Amino acid sequence: MGVRVDGFQVEVPAGASVLDAVRAAGVVLPTLCHDDRLPPAGSCRTCLVRVDGVVAASCVTPVDGHAHIECDAEDLRDLRRDALALLVSDLPPRAVRETHSVLAGFCDALGVDPGTARGTEDTAAAAVDDSHPYVHFDQDLCIACGRCVRMCADVQGTFALTLVNRGADTVAAPGTGGPWAESDCVSCGGCVDTCPTGAIFQPGLPAGAAASRSLPADVAVTRTTCGYCGVGCALEVASVEGRITAVLPDRDGPVNRGHACVKGRFAHGFLSAPDRLTEPLIRRGGVLEPVSWREALQHIAEGFGAALRDGGPDSIAAICSSRATNEENYLVQKFMRTVIGTNNIDNCSRLCHAPTAAGLTASFGLAGGTDSFDRIEQADCLLVVGANPVEAHPVVGARLVNLALSGAKLLVADPRAVGLAAHADLHLRPRPGTNVALCHGIAHVMVAEDLVDQEFLRDRATGLSELLEMLAQYPPDEAAAITGVPAADIVAAARMYGRARRPAIVYGLGVTEHLHGTDGVRALANLAILRGAVGTDRGLGIFPLRGQNNVQGASDMGALPDVLPGYNKVTAADARAAAERVWGTAVPSRPGMRIPEMFAAARAGRLRALWIIGEDVCHTDPDSNRVRAALDACPLVISQDLFLSETSRHADVVLPAAAWPEKDGTFVNFDRRFQRVRPAAQPPGQARTDFAIVHAIAGALGADLGCPTPAAALDECARTSAHFAGLSHARLDREGAIPWPCPDPGRPGLATLYADGFATLDGRAHLAAAPYLPPGEQPDDTFPLILITGRRLMHYNTGSMTRRTGNLDLDPTDRLDLHPDDAARHHVRDGRPVAVESRHGRARLIAHVTEQTPPGTVFCAIHFPGSGVNALTSDHADPVTSCPEYKVTAVRLSTEPEYP
């Protein structure tokens, strides 16, 4: 629609505000209570204009029905200046003179004299709450605009802040009272980003700079992608002379939309930790000693040479990293296949989302989520299974919370009452390891009550008759007996999902990390297929929440033992031929070893060299005592990492590597988007990027991998797989995030899959008739409890990064969550040490008695390796993918253990 602003005609969309029209005309108005991410408030009165002759606040006035907007009249400028001066008059002078705030900028632009600020300064020190490591609050600078309160509620969905007192004394405060650090704050930093006065600020930036983005002249800003979880948040990294001082969410971030979490936003202190590895180490006489890169590379070349002579190419293996860039993963798998001559290459997706790749490929044809998360707001029903995104993927979790608060039905399936469960319309709490039976019970009801899309099943799916025969065994009563979920809730869940107009499924490691994880993924896919909710406008398909920043990309790049880049099978002659044309050398045809097979081969004496990149396998992999035995048995172990990890302590060579803010390349996030990663700092000392290290090792063996730069590596990868043919660093720099498949450099990537057919051989979605099978372990009289492992908000994976930051102040100890009934039964007291013992090992944690965990089940995180949690877990693994069963381990508790 058209409207005139100061005589100029502008076009704005329907529903636009007068402020939108004014901005479209290029006019800048002060807006102290307004943030584009929040509903307008109209409380500060600094954005006054005249609309068809009537003075109004532009932020809350719709354009609809109005013809003329006036901004530049002298009386309007005076009104805006007076409103601003009135707000400033109660503030101390530093509010204008010493901050880089939005308020200070508007005072300068409107000519408000800094002397107008006449509030007292003598209480300044007492008014600042600096109890929190990342969020500080200067109460004297608060103008009670409410932006922080609304940001916490409307964007983050936490409701940790409120306005207290009355009249001129009104200020923001933590809703619980007391210090900020003891509040419900989840440390996302959203309040810092929106505060217009600098009252809420973060260390490392001038007060107010996060909201105004007015940074000192000596601060460089680098746009990159977060290297923590798989959400793929776009970040702006502030640095001074190569030292990172702060990280801010990119307001144009395609996935995070200007939001972030405590890890990506604040947990960067590990970069300057005093124990960063800065030089190569070689073990001599049982002790790791510093050496030059030349000596380290020569030692590796000699070790690889000896392994090739004594055991052949298949006696060497590499474990690549989901924390590494796509280009680094691509280069490692190319090195292993073309220089060493083996397919013994794997990555840590083996431990988490390998069943996702296998299950989604079998059901739909491609190894990734089916839709773009940009469309999630279109869903009217969310089925969230085995995921706690509020803690493990906080930016996604915040959007899901707000979607539920906006009216979408929320159905949560998780044994624990955490995160989204508090907002759920229906919370199903299945026994650990019974996901498949739960899905079959829901599917049974959907079929029985005709809550399925018959036309879709007829025209676009296959396997229905076999599925129907199998589902007959899972009526609600039978599914309830297996899962422990009441039959009535199973029926209600089926109706909620089946009757939704546009349902979406979101799942996490609670589906995949099971003995039958691939069956779990396929059982979920069955629900979407039955409903016709994939590849149509009647649903948003399935979103797997990837755990690490580049779990998707590492596998996409071919860092797997059975596939080349783009998931082309190594056993397929045409796929090998395509790669051979690009690489100029033969590619081995026999699939290589998976990670568990590598460890078994090492213990058996068949593996003679193991290169471990960016993974602490002694702490991340199950049955960790046997992992250590494997490393000790292998003649050459290379550990490439940021810190001297437990794995490094079992290594023969340790190489110092760069962290994600020190790298150039790309990551792929959970909904298949390629995004650029750019270096904001240099690696410390002699540390190198994984990309440079791979080239150096290849050079030490007399090989030239080509691809001199990460950009060149992605260009070469694009020639090996049609999925990536349209991608390049140059295009990503121009256009931003691009999803794969992207076969054409002149066309956008395919965000929503399967609208024109599925990528299976017959073009149909494949239903799976996999029956429920029990988990690998069951509780008994000796081990009466089931242990689930997972993540908590403040930490990430083994905690090697987050435990070296202020996050440790916010969550300093490992703990075991258990129900009050179990605590009483096992004589465990809250806050006291407790020993946890399984059939495989022991761990020691601090008891946390809570009803979030159901009776018979205990939970602990994986972030404090010193507790020995993965000594407890078994080597039971999904037979399709070898993904370990981290979610079901039988354990017992003791308050007086013996420790080795």
Side-chain angles (χ1 to χ4, degrees), residues 271-471:
L271 294 167
S272 56
D275 58 342
R276 275 287 299 268
L277 289 170
T278 59
E279 56 188 345
L281 307 171
I282 288 180
R283 187 173 300 281
R284 290 173 173 153
V287 177
L288 289 170
E289 298 179 349
V291 297
S292 67
W293 270 101
R294 179 179 179 182
E295 190 171 356
L297 293 170
Q298 181 180 351
H299 188 89
I300 292 169
E302 291 172 354
F304 278 171
L308 287 168
R309 288 192 305 273
D310 297 340
D314 289 336
S315 70
I316 301 174
I319 299 173
C320 210
S321 178
S322 294
R323 289 192 289 170
T325 64
N326 293 314
E327 295 77 6
E328 290 166 337
N329 280 286
Y330 174 80
L331 205 64
V332 174
Q333 64 84 33
K334 180 183 178 182
F335 170 86
M336 293 300 294
R337 289 176 165 126
T338 65
V339 178
I340 301 299
T342 181
N343 285 313
N344 288 343
I345 173 72
D346 207 351
N347 74 84
C348 69
S349 70
R350 181 69 52 205
L351 309 181
C352 55
H353 270 287
T356 286
L360 295 183
T361 299
S363 294
F364 306 122
L366 293 176
T370 64
D371 215 314
S372 168
F373 200 67
D374 288 347
R375 301 204 312 142
I376 195 66
E377 279 80 11
Q378 300 176 22
D380 63 342
C381 177
L382 300 168
L383 171 56
V384 182
V385 184
N388 182 15
V390 168
E391 296 193 64
H393 304 83
V395 170
V396 164
R399 285 177 65 180
L400 296 181
V401 166
N402 281 288
L403 187 56
L405 294 175
S406 298
K409 295 293 184 182
L410 177 58
L411 172 58
V412 172
D414 193 307
R416 302 167 63 224
V418 293
L420 291 173
H423 304 280
D425 294 277
L426 181 61
H427 179 201
L428 311 178
R429 304 184 75 172
R431 295 187 182 102
T434 63
N435 293 332
V436 172
L438 178 63
C439 290
H440 290 344
I442 293 172
H444 178 104
V445 176
M446 290 174 63
V447 170
E449 299 191 2
D450 197 24
L451 301 176
V452 300
D453 189 326
Q454 298 289 358
E455 181 181 357
F456 181 92
L457 293 172
R458 182 184 66 247
D459 297 341
R460 302 194 60 189
T462 188
L464 180 60
S465 59
E466 296 87 350
L467 178 65
L468 293 179
E469 182 179 353
M470 190 269 297
L471 289 180

Side-chain angles (χ1 to χ4, degrees), residues 67-136:
H68 181 70
I69 301 168
E70 187 179 8
C71 306
D72 200 32
E74 184 175 353
D75 65 324
L76 293 171
R77 293 196 299 271
D78 289 343
L79 284 172
R80 293 193 291 266
R81 186 183 302 110
D82 290 346
L84 184 58
L86 181 63
L87 287 169
V88 169
S89 65
D90 284 335
L91 301 179
R94 70 178 186 279
V96 179
R97 292 173 174 160
E98 300 176 17
T99 73
H100 286 238
S101 67
V102 172
L103 174 76
F106 282 138
C107 285
D108 182 61
L110 272 66
V112 175
D113 186 347
T116 304
R118 293 187 294 272
T120 180
E121 291 277 16
D122 57 7
T123 61
V128 176
D129 178 350
D130 59 0
S131 61
H132 193 284
Y134 302 134
V135 181
H136 294 181

Side-chain angles (χ1 to χ4, degrees), residues 1 64 130 174 194 235 257 323 369 374 439 481 495 503 569 601 628 661 687 745 827 856 878 890:
M1 67 178 66
D64 300 349
D130 59 0
T194 196
L235 302 174
R257 300 178 178 180
R323 289 192 289 170
D374 288 347
C439 290
R495 290 172 178 169
K569 296 287 186 182
R628 293 183 181 90
H827 310 290
D878 176 34

